[in-house]
Amino acid sequence: MSVSHSITSDTVSEKLLISHSGPLHGTVTVSGAKNSVLPIMAASLLTNERSIIGNVPSVTDVHSMGEILRRLGAEVTLTGDRLVVNPNAYQGTVASYDLVSRMRASICVLGPLLARHGKAQVSMPGGCVIGPRPIDLHLKGMQALGVRITIEHGYVVAVAGKLKGARVHLGGTFGSSVLATGNVMMAATLAEGTTFIEQAACEPEVIDLANFLIAMGARIEGHGSPMIRVEGVERLHGVEYRIIPDRIEAGTLMIATAAVGGDVMIEGVRADHLGAVIDKLSEAGVHIEKLNGSLRVRASGQTRAVDVTTLPFPGFPTDLQAQMMALMAVSKGVSILTEKVYPERFMHISELNRMGASIMREGASAIVKGVEQLSGAPVTAPDLRASAALVLAGLAADNQTELSGLEHLERGYQRLEQQLVQVGAKIRRLGQDEQ
Ligand code: UD1
């Protein structure tokens, strides 16, 4: 099956009917990490040999990246969770607005295109609902490697001869940048000489990308620390590689269990990627047992309020802030959730309040007064992670919650509703003709 964009008008008009659920019981297995796969798909353009990537989730963002690679001339096929990218002699260097505007992660083709072809035109991604998301650090990194950049008609137009290794500082106002670190690391693999990336992002997905590049023949050291060293090589080759588990999906399932109680075994996880989440949930009164490759999560009764600040890894991930807010909305006491990565990422507050939550925004923080019970309501998902938060709120609410805007959920969760149903949640998908 060849990868194509899969948001259909059906998906857009479908709804989830979520009924009060819990306690949850059983075992679920976590998918591969969406945020690892996307840059790794871009990295597979660094060679003209075929790469085979395993444990790939079939989510819309992966399909969108597949479409970008195909427009550049690569063959991309996804069968089950196995993705084959065959760049052959791909020639394209343009990532157009219609594709980049669907998904900001498209910007990570910039580094590989410059490394292979010495030129690239990538549409400026623009803002998005979770707030302004500039790409200045990506551009600064490329310029340091000798790339000349102009912005023309909404496109980043980048031209270079042979890229040259350099010392690049990638710290921004909100800390390090995950995809800018990946972009510069990819470009530097084929540059002349050595590149030092200072204040590099330390996220597990950056480590996964570095390991993929190393398997391709790249020389990289220090990945997972704020100082990465890349020694340029002449060429890279195709590889077979397995993606790490999705820590955000795992965290979402852990928070779901905390919100409605139960005893759930979450399999195929890396506990070392979830330290801050385990710490905060334990503080809230959830029992978490680390087993070999799995986590047993047990919760009963109302959890306690805890204060949470999102930070780059190993801090609490911004991609779990909305889900944690849904949990705090039904926890005992008052909690403060502070967003240090995307200070505008609070679109879910108004929808949670429509379900009876008591949340007030104060700058980059949300003050959450826990209530005993939320009340089911029709709600609309404003973005990817907020949609998961509304699913969790629906499980903890009385009566029924009707969630629209499922195209957001499907950008990043392959089968959240099936996983939750598997452990006893009451969720039903309502097709267009049933409404
Ligand atoms: C990645 C993740 C996203 C996650 C985010 C932070 C993917 C596909 N997406 O996004 O799910 O929420 O990391 O963990 O992996 N910034 C700048 N200039 C730049 C780039 C970023 O100021 O050039 C700012 C951003 O606006 C934000 C902060 O830096 O405030 C962190 O963003 P960044 O780490 O770059 O996020 P992404 O890599 O785009």
Side-chain angles (χ1 to χ4, degrees), residues 171-226:
T173 316
F174 302 104
S176 52
S177 164
V178 177
L179 290 178
T181 301
N183 233 339
V184 174
M185 197 163 66
M186 289 189 277
T189 56
L190 294 177
E192 210 174 276
T194 304
T195 298
F196 296 92
I197 307 175
E198 297 172 350
Q199 209 175 329
C202 302
E203 267 66 7
E205 294 78 14
V206 173
I207 301 177
D208 210 23
L209 172 63
N211 286 336
F212 179 80
L213 293 167
I214 290 167
M216 291 178 90
R219 293 207 189 126
I220 302 176
E221 286 170 8
H223 43 298
S225 83

Side-chain angles (χ1 to χ4, degrees), residues 15 64 66-67 137 172 297 312 328 350 402 408 429:
K15 289 178 178 169
S64 298
E67 185 64 28
L137 296 172
V297 183
M328 289 300 107
S350 54
E402 197 177 294
H408 294 296
R429 187 171 283 247

Side-chain angles (χ1 to χ4, degrees), residues 35 132-138 174 177-179 318-319 341-342:
N35 286 352
R133 293 179 74 178
I135 55 165
D136 55 308
L137 296 172
H138 297 251
F174 302 104
S177 164
V178 177
L179 290 178
T318 173
D319 286 353
V341 181
Y342 292 111

Side-chain angles (χ1 to χ4, degrees), residues 286-422:
V286 180
H287 291 276
I288 300 170
E289 208 177 323
K290 295 181 200 171
L291 302 160
N292 194 14
S294 53
L295 288 172
R296 182 175 178 191
V297 183
R298 277 178 292 164
S300 61
Q302 204 181 13
T303 40
R304 289 189 290 275
V306 289
D307 294 338
V308 177
T309 300
T310 67
L311 287 167
F313 190 83
F316 192 93
T318 173
D319 286 353
L320 286 172
Q321 179 255 110
Q323 299 89 317
M324 197 64 183
M325 195 180 294
L327 174 64
M328 289 300 107
V330 291
S331 293
K332 199 176 173 61
V334 179
S335 60
I336 300 177
L337 272 67
T338 302
E339 183 50 75
K340 290 262 172 112
V341 181
Y342 292 111
E344 299 295 325
R345 189 175 205 175
F346 288 116
M347 297 290 289
H348 38 283
I349 292 182
S350 54
E351 291 303 271
L352 289 170
N353 281 345
R354 290 186 57 250
M355 296 178 70
S358 175
I359 308 171
M360 199 181 72
R361 180 171 167 194
E362 188 64 54
S365 294
I367 300 160
V368 187
K369 287 187 195 154
V371 296
E372 267 186 32
Q373 174 97 68
L374 295 174
S375 134
V379 286
T380 303
D383 65 65
L384 165 56
R385 303 303 172 185
S387 62
L390 293 172
V391 172
L392 305 196
L395 297 177
D398 64 9
N399 295 322
Q400 203 164 61
T401 295
E402 197 177 294
L403 176 66
S404 315
L406 300 190
E407 67 278 13
H408 294 296
L409 189 69
E410 278 156 23
R411 281 191 51 202
Y413 290 94
Q414 182 175 353
R415 52 204 168 93
L416 182 64
E417 85 205 60
Q418 287 105 302
Q419 287 168 318
L420 289 168
V421 166
Q422 203 177 315

Side-chain angles (χ1 to χ4, degrees), residues 19-157:
S19 300
H20 181 69
S21 302
L24 306 177
H25 284 282
T27 301
V28 279
T29 304
V30 169
S31 320
K34 169 195 83 99
N35 286 352
S36 269
V37 181
L38 300 175
I40 282 178
M41 287 173 78
S44 61
L45 296 177
L46 287 164
T47 171
N48 55 16
E49 292 176 14
R50 188 179 71 151
S51 289
I52 300 171
I53 308 164
N55 203 24
V56 173
S58 178
V59 293
T60 324
D61 276 7
V62 167
H63 299 168
S64 298
M65 184 58 89
E67 185 64 28
I68 289 181
L69 301 194
R70 282 201 290 168
R71 288 239 203 126
L72 291 168
E75 283 168 19
V76 185
T77 55
L78 178 65
T79 314
D81 69 354
R82 184 172 182 269
L83 183 81
V84 180
V85 181
N86 193 348
N88 289 324
Y90 85 94
Q91 290 298 331
T93 54
V94 180
S96 61
Y97 176 71
D98 64 316
L99 293 174
V100 176
S101 59
R102 278 185 206 166
M103 182 187 64
R104 294 184 45 87
S106 322
I107 188 69
C108 56
V109 296
L110 184 63
L113 290 179
L114 283 166
R116 280 297 299 286
H117 298 294
K119 61 178 182 176
Q121 281 189 46
V122 180
S123 171
M124 294 279 289
C128 81
V129 295
I130 68 171
R133 293 179 74 178
I135 55 165
D136 55 308
L137 296 172
H138 297 251
L139 303 187
K140 180 182 167 191
M142 296 305 152
Q143 282 167 328
L145 300 183
V147 179
R148 290 183 302 284
I149 289 176
T150 52
I151 306 295
E152 295 175 25
H153 311 293
Y155 278 73
V156 174
V157 179

